[in-house]
Amino acid sequence: MSHGVTIAGTGSYLPEKILTNDELSKFVDTSDEWIVTRTGIKARRIAADDEHTSHLASKAAERALEQANIAAEDVELIIVATITPDTLTPATACYVQQQLGSHKAVAFDVSAACSGFLYAMKLAKNLIESGSFKNALIIGAEKLSSFVNWKDRTTCVLFGDGAGAAVLRAAEEGEGRILATDIGTDGKQTHLLNIPGGGSACPITIDNAGERLATLAMLGKEVFKHAVTRMKNSANTVIERAGLQAEDISIVIPHQANLRIIDAIASRLDVPNERVFVNLHKYGNTSAAAIAIALDEAHRTGEIKKGDKVVMVAFGAGLTWAAAAIEW
Ligand code: ACO
């Protein structure tokens, strides 16, 4: 008899270098006061030049595998969610497979921006349930510092680098399980948030190299409005599918983009602020890595305990959105 799919281990990795708002203000026309008031972000991590997205991903994955007590060579599926791949091809997951020594694993990336980790979770859950794979390593990893325009104060203050991972496998009797998932996309809004250059639509050439087109461009106010509505709806979908009420939810782990968005979601879901996990003051927005890192921190610090009902909800470029309800 199937007992669903469980999260057997989590892990995260943050690069050592911390860039505070005050340090950032020395080379960008901004201030700690503006950034904290508008976003809640106080610092972000910046990966070293020779530390690629795959390296961050592999370090987070090693920690998750250790906790799950699964050897790297026994991993069957690796999905890396990222918008900042090491290379356009091959997939970052292929580098991770090699770095971990998971030579039997099928490895590929998903590109769904900040919703990517939860897209990967749904995919992996369904592939395990269908019997295609016994286990899966899902990773959200980003080196956004390589894809922001450090001269654009409206975006560069928001993002940071990091990685988080989870190991999924078939649940045994009495173990927690993923109760419900939801993913969605609105391709009418691709213009709100994108990296316009570096793809086939706009290759980087000698002529346009100075325009920094391979960096994140965002219409922040528009994104903000969509984020609140889509995240609220997606969270409510999984809460309903899982048969939960607001008072059953032990912790909400929202995408870590902006404290004002997080507060708006919490009030619309009728969940008190103390049950909403926040770490964006330390790391900024790490896109696909954000929920994965938050899940690992909440787990390792004991904020998630056995039997807890956890709701994760994300929103990002695409536009994409996603949510998952889990019994831990
Ligand atoms: N420092 C100082 N001033 C600034 C800065 C800065 N870093 N950035 C902008 N300003 C100025 C602007 O120039 C503007 O000045 P003006 O009034 O003289 O023109 C003023 O501050 C207000 O700018 P707004 O853009 O209107 O500020 P807003 O309150 O909307 O906050 C923010 C901007 C923080 C980006 C917000 O819109 C937001 O968080 N949006 C959502 C982003 C998000 O959730 N993204 C998630 C997905 S990310 C992904 O998928 C990769």
Side-chain angles (χ1 to χ4, degrees):
M1 185 195 153
S2 166
H3 299 287
V5 172
T6 197
I7 296 181
T10 61
S12 58
Y13 173 76
L14 280 309
E16 252 172 63
K17 185 179 158 47
I18 299 171
L19 179 64
T20 64
N21 291 346
D22 284 333
E23 286 163 336
L24 190 53
S25 306
K26 289 183 188 146
F27 60 94
V28 178
D29 179 17
T30 188
S31 65
D32 177 58
E33 199 267 333
W34 192 94
I35 302 171
V36 171
T37 315
R38 300 286 174 133
T39 71
I41 298 165
K42 294 185 179 147
R44 70 285 296 141
R45 299 296 178 98
I46 305 292
D49 288 345
D50 60 356
E51 212 173 17
H52 310 154
T53 298
S54 65
H55 299 133
L56 310 182
S58 293
K59 285 185 175 147
E62 278 165 3
R63 292 172 184 175
L65 286 170
E66 191 186 347
Q67 196 178 73
N69 205 16
I70 290 183
E73 58 267 29
D74 294 331
V75 173
E76 297 196 354
L77 174 65
I78 300 172
I79 307 178
V80 174
T82 188
I83 53 165
T84 55
D86 285 21
T87 50
L88 278 182
T89 194
T92 299
C94 300
Y95 300 109
V96 171
Q97 188 224 44
Q98 171 64 11
Q99 287 163 22
L100 294 176
S102 299
H103 301 297
K104 283 189 303 207
V106 171
F108 61 89
D109 290 358
V110 297
S111 177
C114 310
S115 312
F117 182 70
L118 296 181
Y119 267 58
M121 185 176 286
K122 182 176 181 95
L123 260 175
K125 171 183 176 285
N126 288 3
L127 287 167
I128 292 170
E129 276 172 350
S130 70
S132 300
F133 299 94
K134 284 199 182 63
N135 61 47
L137 182 56
I138 58 167
I139 308 167
E142 302 285 9
K143 187 177 179 181
L144 284 152
S145 59
S146 295
F147 293 87
V148 295
N149 178 355
W150 289 102
K151 293 196 182 322
D152 175 10
R153 67 176 184 173
T154 68
T155 52
C156 76
V157 303
L158 305 172
F159 299 101
D161 302 337
V167 176
L168 272 53
R169 60 158 169 75
E172 287 163 19
E173 196 176 351
E175 285 188 325
R177 67 194 171 95
I178 299 169
L179 299 171
T181 53
D182 175 57
I183 59 176
T185 310
D186 180 2
K188 289 195 290 295
Q189 314 295 346
T190 51
H191 61 289
L192 293 186
L193 179 51
N194 56 35
I195 297 177
S200 62
C202 177
I204 301 303
T205 63
I206 288 177
D207 293 335
N208 68 20
E211 294 175 47
R212 299 171 194 270
L213 295 169
T215 59
L216 273 162
M218 178 168 73
L219 298 175
K221 270 198 197 319
E222 284 304 306
V223 172
F224 192 114
K225 280 185 241 158
H226 286 279
V228 173
T229 315
R230 295 297 192 182
M231 283 168 81
K232 181 199 77 173
N233 291 346
S234 195
N236 276 331
T237 300
V238 296
I239 290 167
E240 201 181 306
R241 282 183 191 159
L244 301 175
Q245 307 294 324
E247 59 269 25
D248 302 327
I249 301 166
S250 323
I251 186 165
V252 175
I253 302 181
H255 177 50
Q256 307 286 312
N258 185 316
L259 197 54
R260 291 186 291 149
I261 296 179
I262 293 175
D263 288 345
I265 300 299
S267 74
R268 281 165 179 75
L269 292 180
D270 214 10
V271 172
N273 281 347
E274 60 272 18
R275 284 198 264 135
V276 178
F277 190 86
V278 175
N279 65 5
L280 96 164
H281 52 289
K282 295 189 287 185
Y283 309 135
N285 180 351
T286 57
S287 192
I291 285 196
I293 296 168
L295 180 67
D296 182 51
E297 285 198 349
H299 180 209
R300 285 181 191 254
T301 56
E303 283 186 61
I304 304 178
K305 292 176 267 321
K306 177 139 183 61
D308 277 356
K309 309 288 190 302
V310 182
V311 171
M312 297 179 277
V313 59
F315 174 84
L319 299 174
T320 60
W321 55 91
I326 294 174
E327 181 177 329
W328 202 260

